[in-house]
Amino acid sequence: MSFSSDVKEELAKHISPARHCQIAEFAAILHFCGRIKRQNDGSNVLLLETENEAVLRKCFTLLRKTFNIEAVGSEGNDSILQITDREDVWNIFKTTRLIGDDGTFHGFTEPVSPILIKNACCKRSFLRGVFLCAGSMSDPAKGYHLELVTGTEKQAGQIQQILWDFELDAKVIPRKKYFVVYLKEGSNIVDFLNICEAHVSLMNFENLRIVKEMRNSINRRVNCEAANITKTVNAAAKQIADITMLQKTYGFENLPENLREMAEVRLEHPDATLKELGQYLNPPVGKSGVNHRLRKLSEIAEEFKK
């Protein structure tokens, strides 16, 4: 299973104790998974359609606990629940504010009624329902990206505002005929999981994030050390080339005593560091002194080449 599926499995098992939170979560599920099918006799059947088995189980549970309704599966289709009783359908629509006081049906593509999500606890439940139906996230071992796919810009705007209320840096981007609300930073996704009360997934996410960041830190250090080694080797190779050229054409006897000794030590110890080279000199010299002498030898070599 993917990390995203694990999160949904955990969220599907979490049932809020308060009925108003259950209604807020079911309203989210209804808006993203619901549709109406008109029967031959003119009656309407409410369908809840999703390919995620965890979401279907959550629908069963919420319908039973919140509305005292026993939903049935659709014949020949394991991904659909249906509510056929007219009074049950009416009760669900009135409770979730899909039908207004004037009897107008607002439709599934409209934002959820603000009355249902005025409390912080209900906003948490609402986000839980949205993620179950329309959410996905990347494997945190590879990258940090969470998105909620909506059908309309108004829905996306509502979800973005709720995430802003929880101080999450949510952004919206159009994608083909959809609008996607997304979070990029690892800290934002951790906070989102905490808001939705997916605490086991949060801990797993944090563990994977720690391992990833440690691995990245080690890689950066190794790359830095490799770059330093390459730089040191290249510098030593140039120093030896310059000194060899001076030895053959200019002659060490024409060099000042301190530079002659430095040139001889560098040729005798081609792999030594500046600190080690300084210890071979008599008297010993520090790194800055060794660097100064080697730079002076290179300058003489450059002048001689000209």
Side-chain angles (χ1 to χ4, degrees):
M1 288 178 67
S2 66
F3 189 87
S4 190
S5 298
D6 290 340
V7 174
K8 291 187 178 183
E9 279 290 335
E10 182 178 2
L11 294 180
K13 295 174 184 176
H14 183 93
I15 306 296
S16 299
R19 186 172 187 268
H20 51 83
C21 291
Q22 295 172 11
I23 292 171
E25 185 171 358
F26 190 78
I29 293 174
L30 196 57
H31 275 256
F32 286 96
C33 294
R35 65 183 178 92
I36 296 173
K37 180 181 178 183
R38 195 166 186 81
Q39 302 287 72
N40 294 330
D41 60 2
S43 63
N44 292 322
V45 175
L46 173 60
L47 302 179
L48 296 169
E49 187 171 9
T50 173
E51 295 180 357
N52 192 309
E53 187 179 336
V55 180
L56 283 178
R57 292 198 306 269
K58 191 65 173 283
C59 290
F60 268 116
T61 303
L62 289 176
L63 283 168
R64 187 174 63 253
K65 285 183 172 291
T66 312
F67 301 98
N68 196 27
I69 294 173
E70 293 292 339
V72 295
S74 177
E75 237 180 274
N77 196 329
D78 295 334
S79 63
I80 296 178
L81 292 183
Q82 58 182 12
I83 298 95
T84 56
D85 185 87
R86 176 179 292 182
E87 288 188 13
D88 288 341
V89 173
W90 180 262
N91 182 32
I92 290 171
F93 285 167
K94 287 290 288 182
T95 304
T96 57
R97 304 280 176 165
L98 273 169
I99 292 180
D101 294 332
D102 58 355
T104 304
F105 182 72
H106 299 307
F108 299 124
T109 58
E110 290 296 311
V112 167
S113 170
I115 297 174
L116 300 179
I117 50 176
K118 60 183 179 179
N119 299 324
C121 58
C122 295
K123 289 178 181 177
R124 291 173 181 269
S125 298
F126 171 77
L127 289 175
R128 189 159 52 242
V130 172
F131 186 82
L132 277 169
C133 297
S136 64
M137 61 183 297
S138 60
D139 185 345
K142 298 177 181 177
Y144 307 132
H145 184 82
L146 181 149
E147 62 182 39
L148 306 165
V149 181
T150 68
T152 68
E153 191 171 6
K154 286 183 180 180
Q155 285 181 324
Q158 181 182 53
I159 294 169
Q160 183 184 38
Q161 184 58 59
I162 293 172
L163 292 172
W164 282 350
D165 292 342
F166 286 109
E167 299 183 355
L168 299 185
D169 185 22
K171 293 181 174 61
V172 176
I173 185 173
R175 184 187 296 163
K176 295 183 180 178
K177 61 180 180 178
Y178 301 104
F179 290 87
V180 181
V181 185
Y182 68 91
L183 300 170
K184 292 293 288 183
E185 296 294 329
S187 57
N188 276 322
I189 297 174
V190 166
D191 289 341
F192 179 88
L193 294 174
N194 186 47
I195 289 165
C196 293
E197 299 177 272
H199 301 306
V200 174
S201 297
L202 187 155
M203 293 302 297
N204 291 337
F205 184 97
E206 285 286 51
N207 289 337
L208 290 169
R209 186 161 70 137
I210 289 169
V211 171
K212 180 184 177 183
E213 290 181 358
M214 284 182 63
R215 186 180 294 118
N216 289 342
S217 177
I218 291 170
N219 287 340
R220 282 194 297 270
R221 187 174 300 175
V222 169
N223 291 338
C224 183
E225 290 178 356
N228 287 337
I229 291 171
T230 301
K231 184 178 177 182
T232 301
V233 169
N234 291 340
K238 185 180 183 305
Q239 292 161 7
I240 291 170
D242 288 342
I243 291 170
T244 302
M245 188 272 290
L246 287 175
Q247 183 184 35
K248 291 180 178 178
T249 58
Y250 186 71
F252 282 176
E253 66 276 7
N254 295 316
L255 293 172
E257 179 63 25
N258 62 337
L259 296 185
R260 181 184 59 76
E261 183 186 13
M262 184 73 260
E264 291 172 348
V265 167
R266 172 43 101 188
L267 290 180
E268 290 173 11
H269 305 282
D271 299 326
T273 63
L274 296 182
K275 183 178 180 181
E276 291 169 344
L277 289 174
Q279 296 300 314
Y280 294 131
L281 297 174
N282 186 22
V285 176
K287 285 173 61 177
S288 60
V290 171
N291 192 47
H292 174 74
R293 296 185 187 186
L294 289 171
R295 189 166 60 247
K296 196 67 177 175
L297 286 168
S298 292
E299 289 173 2
I300 296 173
E302 289 299 324
E303 286 297 323
F304 194 79
K305 289 176 186 175
K306 292 179 183 177

